[in-house]
Amino acid sequence: IVKVEVKCLAKDINNTNVYFGNGNKIVNVHGNDKVTNKFVVGNSYLLYGALNVHNFRPGLEYVYSSSLDKDIEFFIDNLEVKKASEFYNYTYETDKYDSYPNYSKLFETPYVIEGYVNSYIKDGKEYIVLEDKYNENYYSTYQNARSAKSVFFVNENYIKLTASNSKYCPIYEHLEKGTKLKVVVFPYLWNSQKYPQVYCYYFEEL
């Protein structure tokens, strides 16, 4: 069991994981399906958790937390810049030691990706991805987006988009504009379908 003072940065789409940070380090905290209700994004907490590893991703299993009056600082300046395609270098193979230490280390810090927004279609709905080169055409399947070495966003308002809810996706307008973006991401997982998933924390136009 460890005790840390951290700021709540983001919550994932399944309500079971919360991102925390201090300085420029991040940690993913897992709990039951109500754990996200305990935290407000932007607030600081004293957090107790059990060190764990899930699918070779290090993190904490939630034990207990209390609010802090002081603000824990979290910085996104001077982060390492990676291409979207570089995230395909971070994979693992079960039971092969040499394949996962590098992968596990990926989840300790945020990164910057400089790239272009695109999307793929699944069951008639749009899913947002980020890639190295601008492509004016969307992908008809996730396999095509994977072949282009895109990273896949997992934010709740970046997936399963329709004509009515796409307006709530902060990054959606850049899909048609073709502007190059600087995006701060938290690595989320190497998906079982063999593509990298990331959580968009912040973005701006370049």
Side-chain angles (χ1 to χ4, degrees):
I1 306 293
V2 297
K3 178 178 71 173
V4 290
E5 293 185 350
V6 287
K7 172 177 284 190
C8 180
L9 304 175
K11 305 175 183 182
D12 87 346
I13 57 175
N14 298 313
N15 296 323
T16 56
N17 290 271
V18 186
Y19 289 97
F20 292 92
N22 61 7
N24 59 2
K25 295 290 186 180
I26 58 173
V27 64
N28 185 282
V29 175
H30 177 266
N32 61 29
D33 61 0
K34 295 181 175 60
V35 72
T36 58
N37 295 334
K38 299 178 183 295
F39 304 104
V40 176
V41 173
N43 288 2
S44 298
Y45 297 88
L46 177 64
L47 177 69
Y48 292 82
L51 293 168
N52 72 352
V53 175
H54 174 68
N55 284 346
F56 305 101
R57 179 182 67 178
L60 296 176
E61 193 71 19
Y62 177 81
V63 175
Y64 174 79
S65 62
S66 60
S67 297
L68 287 176
D69 292 332
K70 64 180 179 180
D71 180 50
I72 302 299
E73 293 186 302
F74 179 71
F75 305 101
I76 58 173
D77 297 326
N78 303 316
L79 297 178
E80 182 178 351
V81 180
K82 290 184 180 294
K83 294 181 178 179
S85 56
E86 287 185 83
F87 282 80
Y88 284 79
N89 299 330
Y90 295 88
T91 64
Y92 66 87
E93 293 181 68
T94 303
D95 298 328
K96 291 190 177 182
Y97 176 82
D98 290 343
S99 72
Y100 65 78
N102 193 41
Y103 171 81
S104 299
K105 189 175 177 60
L106 182 70
F107 300 92
E108 296 178 1
T109 60
Y111 296 88
V112 167
I113 300 177
E114 296 180 356
Y116 300 87
V117 178
N118 205 337
S119 66
Y120 71 94
I121 306 299
K122 180 180 178 181
D123 299 327
K125 297 179 180 178
E126 245 180 321
Y127 293 71
I128 302 299
V129 300
L130 193 71
E131 54 191 4
D132 295 337
K133 297 180 180 179
Y134 176 64
N135 180 358
E136 63 181 355
N137 301 309
Y138 67 83
Y139 297 106
S140 57
T141 66
Y142 81 83
Q143 291 94 334
N144 291 339
R146 181 184 63 190
S147 296
K149 293 192 172 182
S150 303
V151 295
F152 291 59
F153 290 118
V154 293
N155 303 57
E156 185 173 16
N157 51 357
Y158 286 49
I159 64 173
K160 299 180 181 179
L161 300 180
T162 63
S164 61
N165 67 11
S166 61
K167 61 184 177 182
Y168 299 111
C169 177
I171 213 167
Y172 194 82
E173 65 175 301
H174 299 284
L175 191 61
E176 296 182 355
K177 291 169 64 176
T179 47
K180 191 172 186 178
L181 301 178
K182 171 186 175 181
V183 187
V184 176
V185 301
F186 302 153
Y188 183 79
L189 203 64
W190 175 251
N191 187 273
S192 59
Q193 303 300 318
K194 301 188 183 303
Y195 56 76
Q197 295 174 296
V198 300
Y199 195 101
C200 176
Y201 178 67
Y202 166 85
F203 70 89
E204 63 183 38
E205 290 189 27
L206 287 175

PDB file of all heavy atoms in Angstrom, residues 83-92 106 129-130 132 142-152 190 193-197:
ATOM      1  N   LYS A  83       5.578  10.551 -32.527  1.00  0.00           N
ATOM      2  CA  LYS A  83       4.644  10.404 -33.628  1.00  0.00           C
ATOM      3  C   LYS A  83       3.595   9.364 -33.245  1.00  0.00           C
ATOM      4  O   LYS A  83       3.860   8.461 -32.445  1.00  0.00           O
ATOM      5  CB  LYS A  83       5.372   9.947 -34.893  1.00  0.00           C
ATOM      6  CG  LYS A  83       6.340  10.965 -35.460  1.00  0.00           C
ATOM      7  CD  LYS A  83       6.987  10.420 -36.731  1.00  0.00           C
ATOM      8  CE  LYS A  83       7.935  11.449 -37.340  1.00  0.00           C
ATOM      9  NZ  LYS A  83       8.588  10.933 -38.576  1.00  0.00           N
ATOM     10  N   ALA A  84       2.418   9.497 -33.814  1.00  0.00           N
ATOM     11  CA  ALA A  84       1.374   8.507 -33.541  1.00  0.00           C
ATOM     12  C   ALA A  84       1.863   7.100 -33.887  1.00  0.00           C
ATOM     13  O   ALA A  84       1.634   6.144 -33.138  1.00  0.00           O
ATOM     14  CB  ALA A  84       0.119   8.846 -34.342  1.00  0.00           C
ATOM     15  N   SER A  85       2.558   6.977 -34.992  1.00  0.00           N
ATOM     16  CA  SER A  85       3.030   5.660 -35.434  1.00  0.00           C
ATOM     17  C   SER A  85       4.032   5.035 -34.472  1.00  0.00           C
ATOM     18  O   SER A  85       4.162   3.804 -34.407  1.00  0.00           O
ATOM     19  CB  SER A  85       3.660   5.767 -36.825  1.00  0.00           C
ATOM     20  OG  SER A  85       4.715   6.724 -36.832  1.00  0.00           O
ATOM     21  N   GLU A  86       4.727   5.864 -33.687  1.00  0.00           N
ATOM     22  CA  GLU A  86       5.714   5.337 -32.745  1.00  0.00           C
ATOM     23  C   GLU A  86       5.072   4.521 -31.632  1.00  0.00           C
ATOM     24  O   GLU A  86       5.719   3.656 -31.034  1.00  0.00           O
ATOM     25  CB  GLU A  86       6.526   6.480 -32.135  1.00  0.00           C
ATOM     26  CG  GLU A  86       7.537   7.114 -33.071  1.00  0.00           C
ATOM     27  CD  GLU A  86       8.382   8.150 -32.362  1.00  0.00           C
ATOM     28  OE1 GLU A  86       9.358   7.761 -31.709  1.00  0.00           O
ATOM     29  OE2 GLU A  86       8.038   9.343 -32.461  1.00  0.00           O
ATOM     30  N   PHE A  87       3.812   4.770 -31.342  1.00  0.00           N
ATOM     31  CA  PHE A  87       3.150   4.025 -30.275  1.00  0.00           C
ATOM     32  C   PHE A  87       2.961   2.551 -30.644  1.00  0.00           C
ATOM     33  O   PHE A  87       2.684   1.725 -29.775  1.00  0.00           O
ATOM     34  CB  PHE A  87       1.817   4.680 -29.921  1.00  0.00           C
ATOM     35  CG  PHE A  87       1.976   5.893 -29.053  1.00  0.00           C
ATOM     36  CD1 PHE A  87       2.344   7.116 -29.601  1.00  0.00           C
ATOM     37  CD2 PHE A  87       1.787   5.828 -27.685  1.00  0.00           C
ATOM     38  CE1 PHE A  87       2.506   8.242 -28.810  1.00  0.00           C
ATOM     39  CE2 PHE A  87       1.954   6.947 -26.885  1.00  0.00           C
ATOM     40  CZ  PHE A  87       2.318   8.155 -27.443  1.00  0.00           C
ATOM     41  N   TYR A  88       3.117   2.232 -31.921  1.00  0.00           N
ATOM     42  CA  TYR A  88       3.057   0.828 -32.337  1.00  0.00           C
ATOM     43  C   TYR A  88       4.341   0.083 -31.987  1.00  0.00           C
ATOM     44  O   TYR A  88       4.410  -1.136 -32.154  1.00  0.00           O
ATOM     45  CB  TYR A  88       2.758   0.735 -33.835  1.00  0.00           C
ATOM     46  CG  TYR A  88       1.313   1.003 -34.149  1.00  0.00           C
ATOM     47  CD1 TYR A  88       0.817   2.299 -34.197  1.00  0.00           C
ATOM     48  CD2 TYR A  88       0.426  -0.044 -34.368  1.00  0.00           C
ATOM     49  CE1 TYR A  88      -0.520   2.561 -34.464  1.00  0.00           C
ATOM     50  CE2 TYR A  88      -0.918   0.203 -34.643  1.00  0.00           C
ATOM     51  CZ  TYR A  88      -1.377   1.502 -34.684  1.00  0.00           C
ATOM     52  OH  TYR A  88      -2.707   1.749 -34.924  1.00  0.00           O
ATOM     53  N   ASN A  89       5.340   0.796 -31.500  1.00  0.00           N
ATOM     54  CA  ASN A  89       6.568   0.148 -31.018  1.00  0.00           C
ATOM     55  C   ASN A  89       6.416  -0.365 -29.590  1.00  0.00           C
ATOM     56  O   ASN A  89       7.285  -1.069 -29.085  1.00  0.00           O
ATOM     57  CB  ASN A  89       7.740   1.133 -31.068  1.00  0.00           C
ATOM     58  CG  ASN A  89       8.029   1.621 -32.476  1.00  0.00           C
ATOM     59  OD1 ASN A  89       7.802   0.908 -33.443  1.00  0.00           O
ATOM     60  ND2 ASN A  89       8.519   2.847 -32.582  1.00  0.00           N
ATOM     61  N   TYR A  90       5.319   0.018 -28.933  1.00  0.00           N
ATOM     62  CA  TYR A  90       5.114  -0.342 -27.529  1.00  0.00           C
ATOM     63  C   TYR A  90       4.030  -1.417 -27.427  1.00  0.00           C
ATOM     64  O   TYR A  90       2.844  -1.125 -27.349  1.00  0.00           O
ATOM     65  CB  TYR A  90       4.720   0.888 -26.720  1.00  0.00           C
ATOM     66  CG  TYR A  90       5.810   1.926 -26.652  1.00  0.00           C
ATOM     67  CD1 TYR A  90       5.927   2.910 -27.632  1.00  0.00           C
ATOM     68  CD2 TYR A  90       6.743   1.914 -25.618  1.00  0.00           C
ATOM     69  CE1 TYR A  90       6.936   3.858 -27.580  1.00  0.00           C
ATOM     70  CE2 TYR A  90       7.751   2.858 -25.555  1.00  0.00           C
ATOM     71  CZ  TYR A  90       7.842   3.817 -26.546  1.00  0.00           C
ATOM     72  OH  TYR A  90       8.846   4.753 -26.490  1.00  0.00           O
ATOM     73  N   THR A  91       4.456  -2.646 -27.471  1.00  0.00           N
ATOM     74  CA  THR A  91       3.547  -3.779 -27.375  1.00  0.00           C
ATOM     75  C   THR A  91       4.130  -4.777 -26.381  1.00  0.00           C
ATOM     76  O   THR A  91       5.217  -4.579 -25.844  1.00  0.00           O
ATOM     77  CB  THR A  91       3.360  -4.458 -28.737  1.00  0.00           C
ATOM     78  OG1 THR A  91       4.610  -5.010 -29.172  1.00  0.00           O
ATOM     79  CG2 THR A  91       2.866  -3.465 -29.789  1.00  0.00           C
ATOM     80  N   TYR A  92       3.422  -5.833 -26.125  1.00  0.00           N
ATOM     81  CA  TYR A  92       3.943  -6.873 -25.255  1.00  0.00           C
ATOM     82  C   TYR A  92       3.459  -8.237 -25.738  1.00  0.00           C
ATOM     83  O   TYR A  92       2.473  -8.345 -26.457  1.00  0.00           O
ATOM     84  CB  TYR A  92       3.492  -6.671 -23.800  1.00  0.00           C
ATOM     85  CG  TYR A  92       2.005  -6.827 -23.598  1.00  0.00           C
ATOM     86  CD1 TYR A  92       1.454  -8.086 -23.364  1.00  0.00           C
ATOM     87  CD2 TYR A  92       1.156  -5.732 -23.644  1.00  0.00           C
ATOM     88  CE1 TYR A  92       0.083  -8.249 -23.184  1.00  0.00           C
ATOM     89  CE2 TYR A  92      -0.202  -5.886 -23.467  1.00  0.00           C
ATOM     90  CZ  TYR A  92      -0.736  -7.148 -23.231  1.00  0.00           C
ATOM     91  OH  TYR A  92      -2.079  -7.298 -23.062  1.00  0.00           O
ATOM     92  N   LEU A 106       5.869   3.039 -20.503  1.00  0.00           N
ATOM     93  CA  LEU A 106       5.120   4.024 -21.292  1.00  0.00           C
ATOM     94  C   LEU A 106       4.049   4.730 -20.469  1.00  0.00           C
ATOM     95  O   LEU A 106       3.694   5.872 -20.747  1.00  0.00           O
ATOM     96  CB  LEU A 106       4.469   3.320 -22.493  1.00  0.00           C
ATOM     97  CG  LEU A 106       3.682   4.177 -23.483  1.00  0.00           C
ATOM     98  CD1 LEU A 106       4.623   5.064 -24.295  1.00  0.00           C
ATOM     99  CD2 LEU A 106       2.863   3.306 -24.414  1.00  0.00           C
ATOM    100  N   VAL A 129      -9.535   9.168 -34.313  1.00  0.00           N
ATOM    101  CA  VAL A 129      -8.146   8.716 -34.220  1.00  0.00           C
ATOM    102  C   VAL A 129      -7.228   9.885 -34.555  1.00  0.00           C
ATOM    103  O   VAL A 129      -7.672  10.932 -35.040  1.00  0.00           O
ATOM    104  CB  VAL A 129      -7.868   7.525 -35.172  1.00  0.00           C
ATOM    105  CG1 VAL A 129      -8.760   6.341 -34.833  1.00  0.00           C
ATOM    106  CG2 VAL A 129      -8.048   7.934 -36.642  1.00  0.00           C
ATOM    107  N   LEU A 130      -5.944   9.704 -34.310  1.00  0.00           N
ATOM    108  CA  LEU A 130      -4.934  10.721 -34.622  1.00  0.00           C
ATOM    109  C   LEU A 130      -3.816  10.044 -35.390  1.00  0.00           C
ATOM    110  O   LEU A 130      -3.387   8.931 -35.035  1.00  0.00           O
ATOM    111  CB  LEU A 130      -4.398  11.343 -33.334  1.00  0.00           C
ATOM    112  CG  LEU A 130      -3.561  12.622 -33.477  1.00  0.00           C
ATOM    113  CD1 LEU A 130      -4.459  13.789 -33.892  1.00  0.00           C
ATOM    114  CD2 LEU A 130      -2.862  12.955 -32.166  1.00  0.00           C
ATOM    115  N   ASP A 132      -0.147  10.586 -38.243  1.00  0.00           N
ATOM    116  CA  ASP A 132       1.003  11.429 -38.571  1.00  0.00           C
ATOM    117  C   ASP A 132       0.766  12.336 -39.780  1.00  0.00           C
ATOM    118  O   ASP A 132       1.244  13.461 -39.818  1.00  0.00           O
ATOM    119  CB  ASP A 132       2.235  10.557 -38.847  1.00  0.00           C
ATOM    120  CG  ASP A 132       2.695   9.796 -37.623  1.00  0.00           C
ATOM    121  OD1 ASP A 132       2.378  10.233 -36.506  1.00  0.00           O
ATOM    122  OD2 ASP A 132       3.369   8.753 -37.782  1.00  0.00           O
ATOM    123  N   TYR A 142     -11.852  -0.130 -38.522  1.00  0.00           N
ATOM    124  CA  TYR A 142     -10.745   0.115 -37.588  1.00  0.00           C
ATOM    125  C   TYR A 142      -9.468  -0.534 -38.086  1.00  0.00           C
ATOM    126  O   TYR A 142      -8.364  -0.056 -37.808  1.00  0.00           O
ATOM    127  CB  TYR A 142     -11.105  -0.373 -36.181  1.00  0.00           C
ATOM    128  CG  TYR A 142     -10.929  -1.851 -35.954  1.00  0.00           C
ATOM    129  CD1 TYR A 142      -9.673  -2.387 -35.621  1.00  0.00           C
ATOM    130  CD2 TYR A 142     -11.997  -2.725 -36.052  1.00  0.00           C
ATOM    131  CE1 TYR A 142      -9.511  -3.742 -35.404  1.00  0.00           C
ATOM    132  CE2 TYR A 142     -11.843  -4.069 -35.836  1.00  0.00           C
ATOM    133  CZ  TYR A 142     -10.596  -4.587 -35.508  1.00  0.00           C
ATOM    134  OH  TYR A 142     -10.425  -5.941 -35.297  1.00  0.00           O
ATOM    135  N   GLN A 143      -9.598  -1.623 -38.853  1.00  0.00           N
ATOM    136  CA  GLN A 143      -8.399  -2.277 -39.394  1.00  0.00           C
ATOM    137  C   GLN A 143      -7.638  -1.344 -40.324  1.00  0.00           C
ATOM    138  O   GLN A 143      -6.403  -1.339 -40.333  1.00  0.00           O
ATOM    139  CB  GLN A 143      -8.784  -3.565 -40.141  1.00  0.00           C
ATOM    140  CG  GLN A 143      -9.294  -4.680 -39.244  1.00  0.00           C
ATOM    141  CD  GLN A 143     -10.801  -4.713 -39.118  1.00  0.00           C
ATOM    142  OE1 GLN A 143     -11.456  -3.675 -39.284  1.00  0.00           O
ATOM    143  NE2 GLN A 143     -11.362  -5.877 -38.846  1.00  0.00           N
ATOM    144  N   ASN A 144      -8.357  -0.544 -41.106  1.00  0.00           N
ATOM    145  CA  ASN A 144      -7.696   0.408 -41.995  1.00  0.00           C
ATOM    146  C   ASN A 144      -6.997   1.508 -41.215  1.00  0.00           C
ATOM    147  O   ASN A 144      -5.889   1.928 -41.566  1.00  0.00           O
ATOM    148  CB  ASN A 144      -8.711   1.024 -42.961  1.00  0.00           C
ATOM    149  CG  ASN A 144      -9.231   0.028 -43.974  1.00  0.00           C
ATOM    150  OD1 ASN A 144      -8.591  -0.987 -44.233  1.00  0.00           O
ATOM    151  ND2 ASN A 144     -10.393   0.293 -44.534  1.00  0.00           N
ATOM    152  N   ALA A 145      -7.638   1.984 -40.144  1.00  0.00           N
ATOM    153  CA  ALA A 145      -6.997   2.993 -39.292  1.00  0.00           C
ATOM    154  C   ALA A 145      -5.777   2.406 -38.596  1.00  0.00           C
ATOM    155  O   ALA A 145      -4.762   3.084 -38.433  1.00  0.00           O
ATOM    156  CB  ALA A 145      -7.994   3.506 -38.268  1.00  0.00           C
ATOM    157  N   ARG A 146      -5.866   1.163 -38.210  1.00  0.00           N
ATOM    158  CA  ARG A 146      -4.724   0.478 -37.596  1.00  0.00           C
ATOM    159  C   ARG A 146      -3.584   0.319 -38.598  1.00  0.00           C
ATOM    160  O   ARG A 146      -2.419   0.532 -38.262  1.00  0.00           O
ATOM    161  CB  ARG A 146      -5.165  -0.888 -37.075  1.00  0.00           C
ATOM    162  CG  ARG A 146      -4.073  -1.695 -36.380  1.00  0.00           C
ATOM    163  CD  ARG A 146      -4.583  -3.064 -35.984  1.00  0.00           C
ATOM    164  NE  ARG A 146      -4.964  -3.847 -37.152  1.00  0.00           N
ATOM    165  CZ  ARG A 146      -5.622  -4.997 -37.085  1.00  0.00           C
ATOM    166  NH1 ARG A 146      -6.006  -5.486 -35.924  1.00  0.00           N
ATOM    167  NH2 ARG A 146      -5.917  -5.660 -38.197  1.00  0.00           N
ATOM    168  N   SER A 147      -3.900  -0.011 -39.827  1.00  0.00           N
ATOM    169  CA  SER A 147      -2.868  -0.160 -40.862  1.00  0.00           C
ATOM    170  C   SER A 147      -2.145   1.148 -41.122  1.00  0.00           C
ATOM    171  O   SER A 147      -0.966   1.157 -41.487  1.00  0.00           O
ATOM    172  CB  SER A 147      -3.490  -0.681 -42.165  1.00  0.00           C
ATOM    173  OG  SER A 147      -4.015  -1.975 -41.994  1.00  0.00           O
ATOM    174  N   ALA A 148      -2.839   2.272 -40.926  1.00  0.00           N
ATOM    175  CA  ALA A 148      -2.232   3.597 -41.095  1.00  0.00           C
ATOM    176  C   ALA A 148      -1.442   4.021 -39.861  1.00  0.00           C
ATOM    177  O   ALA A 148      -0.896   5.113 -39.821  1.00  0.00           O
ATOM    178  CB  ALA A 148      -3.302   4.628 -41.408  1.00  0.00           C
ATOM    179  N   LYS A 149      -1.410   3.152 -38.850  1.00  0.00           N
ATOM    180  CA  LYS A 149      -0.707   3.403 -37.587  1.00  0.00           C
ATOM    181  C   LYS A 149      -1.222   4.655 -36.878  1.00  0.00           C
ATOM    182  O   LYS A 149      -0.462   5.514 -36.444  1.00  0.00           O
ATOM    183  CB  LYS A 149       0.808   3.461 -37.798  1.00  0.00           C
ATOM    184  CG  LYS A 149       1.403   2.107 -38.211  1.00  0.00           C
ATOM    185  CD  LYS A 149       2.913   2.094 -38.147  1.00  0.00           C
ATOM    186  CE  LYS A 149       3.434   0.683 -38.374  1.00  0.00           C
ATOM    187  NZ  LYS A 149       4.904   0.622 -38.275  1.00  0.00           N
ATOM    188  N   SER A 150      -2.540   4.723 -36.788  1.00  0.00           N
ATOM    189  CA  SER A 150      -3.190   5.779 -36.019  1.00  0.00           C
ATOM    190  C   SER A 150      -3.240   5.375 -34.548  1.00  0.00           C
ATOM    191  O   SER A 150      -3.235   4.190 -34.217  1.00  0.00           O
ATOM    192  CB  SER A 150      -4.622   5.990 -36.511  1.00  0.00           C
ATOM    193  OG  SER A 150      -4.659   6.288 -37.888  1.00  0.00           O
ATOM    194  N   VAL A 151      -3.321   6.361 -33.667  1.00  0.00           N
ATOM    195  CA  VAL A 151      -3.651   6.074 -32.277  1.00  0.00           C
ATOM    196  C   VAL A 151      -5.143   6.315 -32.100  1.00  0.00           C
ATOM    197  O   VAL A 151      -5.729   7.199 -32.739  1.00  0.00           O
ATOM    198  CB  VAL A 151      -2.837   6.918 -31.271  1.00  0.00           C
ATOM    199  CG1 VAL A 151      -1.360   6.589 -31.337  1.00  0.00           C
ATOM    200  CG2 VAL A 151      -3.070   8.400 -31.480  1.00  0.00           C
ATOM    201  N   PHE A 152      -5.764   5.534 -31.229  1.00  0.00           N
ATOM    202  CA  PHE A 152      -7.210   5.542 -31.058  1.00  0.00           C
ATOM    203  C   PHE A 152      -7.567   6.199 -29.729  1.00  0.00           C
ATOM    204  O   PHE A 152      -7.097   5.780 -28.671  1.00  0.00           O
ATOM    205  CB  PHE A 152      -7.739   4.104 -31.078  1.00  0.00           C
ATOM    206  CG  PHE A 152      -7.644   3.415 -32.411  1.00  0.00           C
ATOM    207  CD1 PHE A 152      -6.420   3.242 -33.048  1.00  0.00           C
ATOM    208  CD2 PHE A 152      -8.781   2.927 -33.028  1.00  0.00           C
ATOM    209  CE1 PHE A 152      -6.331   2.590 -34.278  1.00  0.00           C
ATOM    210  CE2 PHE A 152      -8.702   2.277 -34.263  1.00  0.00           C
ATOM    211  CZ  PHE A 152      -7.472   2.110 -34.886  1.00  0.00           C
ATOM    212  N   TRP A 190      -2.631  -1.120 -24.902  1.00  0.00           N
ATOM    213  CA  TRP A 190      -2.472  -1.781 -26.198  1.00  0.00           C
ATOM    214  C   TRP A 190      -3.682  -2.689 -26.340  1.00  0.00           C
ATOM    215  O   TRP A 190      -3.827  -3.690 -25.640  1.00  0.00           O
ATOM    216  CB  TRP A 190      -1.166  -2.558 -26.252  1.00  0.00           C
ATOM    217  CG  TRP A 190      -0.948  -3.361 -27.490  1.00  0.00           C
ATOM    218  CD1 TRP A 190      -0.979  -4.715 -27.606  1.00  0.00           C
ATOM    219  CD2 TRP A 190      -0.629  -2.868 -28.801  1.00  0.00           C
ATOM    220  NE1 TRP A 190      -0.719  -5.098 -28.900  1.00  0.00           N
ATOM    221  CE2 TRP A 190      -0.495  -3.984 -29.654  1.00  0.00           C
ATOM    222  CE3 TRP A 190      -0.455  -1.584 -29.327  1.00  0.00           C
ATOM    223  CZ2 TRP A 190      -0.185  -3.861 -31.007  1.00  0.00           C
ATOM    224  CZ3 TRP A 190      -0.151  -1.459 -30.690  1.00  0.00           C
ATOM    225  CH2 TRP A 190      -0.010  -2.584 -31.503  1.00  0.00           C
ATOM    226  N   GLN A 193      -7.142  -5.846 -30.084  1.00  0.00           N
ATOM    227  CA  GLN A 193      -7.164  -5.841 -31.547  1.00  0.00           C
ATOM    228  C   GLN A 193      -5.876  -5.260 -32.128  1.00  0.00           C
ATOM    229  O   GLN A 193      -5.804  -4.985 -33.315  1.00  0.00           O
ATOM    230  CB  GLN A 193      -8.366  -5.033 -32.045  1.00  0.00           C
ATOM    231  CG  GLN A 193      -9.700  -5.527 -31.533  1.00  0.00           C
ATOM    232  CD  GLN A 193      -9.971  -6.956 -31.940  1.00  0.00           C
ATOM    233  OE1 GLN A 193      -9.701  -7.352 -33.065  1.00  0.00           O
ATOM    234  NE2 GLN A 193     -10.517  -7.739 -31.015  1.00  0.00           N
ATOM    235  N   LYS A 194      -4.894  -5.067 -31.250  1.00  0.00           N
ATOM    236  CA  LYS A 194      -3.531  -4.694 -31.649  1.00  0.00           C
ATOM    237  C   LYS A 194      -3.426  -3.277 -32.224  1.00  0.00           C
ATOM    238  O   LYS A 194      -2.895  -3.050 -33.308  1.00  0.00           O
ATOM    239  CB  LYS A 194      -2.934  -5.729 -32.616  1.00  0.00           C
ATOM    240  CG  LYS A 194      -2.876  -7.132 -32.013  1.00  0.00           C
ATOM    241  CD  LYS A 194      -2.104  -8.093 -32.904  1.00  0.00           C
ATOM    242  CE  LYS A 194      -2.132  -9.490 -32.322  1.00  0.00           C
ATOM    243  NZ  LYS A 194      -1.610  -9.561 -30.954  1.00  0.00           N
ATOM    244  N   TYR A 195      -3.942  -2.328 -31.453  1.00  0.00           N
ATOM    245  CA  TYR A 195      -3.685  -0.923 -31.749  1.00  0.00           C
ATOM    246  C   TYR A 195      -3.597  -0.156 -30.427  1.00  0.00           C
ATOM    247  O   TYR A 195      -4.170  -0.566 -29.416  1.00  0.00           O
ATOM    248  CB  TYR A 195      -4.741  -0.315 -32.674  1.00  0.00           C
ATOM    249  CG  TYR A 195      -6.173  -0.428 -32.204  1.00  0.00           C
ATOM    250  CD1 TYR A 195      -6.681   0.380 -31.187  1.00  0.00           C
ATOM    251  CD2 TYR A 195      -7.044  -1.333 -32.813  1.00  0.00           C
ATOM    252  CE1 TYR A 195      -7.995   0.294 -30.773  1.00  0.00           C
ATOM    253  CE2 TYR A 195      -8.361  -1.434 -32.404  1.00  0.00           C
ATOM    254  CZ  TYR A 195      -8.833  -0.616 -31.388  1.00  0.00           C
ATOM    255  OH  TYR A 195     -10.145  -0.705 -30.982  1.00  0.00           O
ATOM    256  N   PRO A 196      -2.835   0.952 -30.421  1.00  0.00           N
ATOM    257  CA  PRO A 196      -2.659   1.725 -29.175  1.00  0.00           C
ATOM    258  C   PRO A 196      -3.844   2.644 -28.909  1.00  0.00           C
ATOM    259  O   PRO A 196      -4.330   3.332 -29.804  1.00  0.00           O
ATOM    260  CB  PRO A 196      -1.378   2.525 -29.426  1.00  0.00           C
ATOM    261  CG  PRO A 196      -1.326   2.673 -30.911  1.00  0.00           C
ATOM    262  CD  PRO A 196      -1.984   1.459 -31.502  1.00  0.00           C
ATOM    263  N   GLN A 197      -4.282   2.662 -27.661  1.00  0.00           N
ATOM    264  CA  GLN A 197      -5.344   3.561 -27.227  1.00  0.00           C
ATOM    265  C   GLN A 197      -4.745   4.613 -26.304  1.00  0.00           C
ATOM    266  O   GLN A 197      -3.891   4.307 -25.472  1.00  0.00           O
ATOM    267  CB  GLN A 197      -6.440   2.792 -26.490  1.00  0.00           C
ATOM    268  CG  GLN A 197      -7.173   1.800 -27.368  1.00  0.00           C
ATOM    269  CD  GLN A 197      -8.143   0.967 -26.562  1.00  0.00           C
ATOM    270  OE1 GLN A 197      -7.754   0.205 -25.693  1.00  0.00           O
ATOM    271  NE2 GLN A 197      -9.434   1.113 -26.837  1.00  0.00           N
TER     272      GLN A 197
END
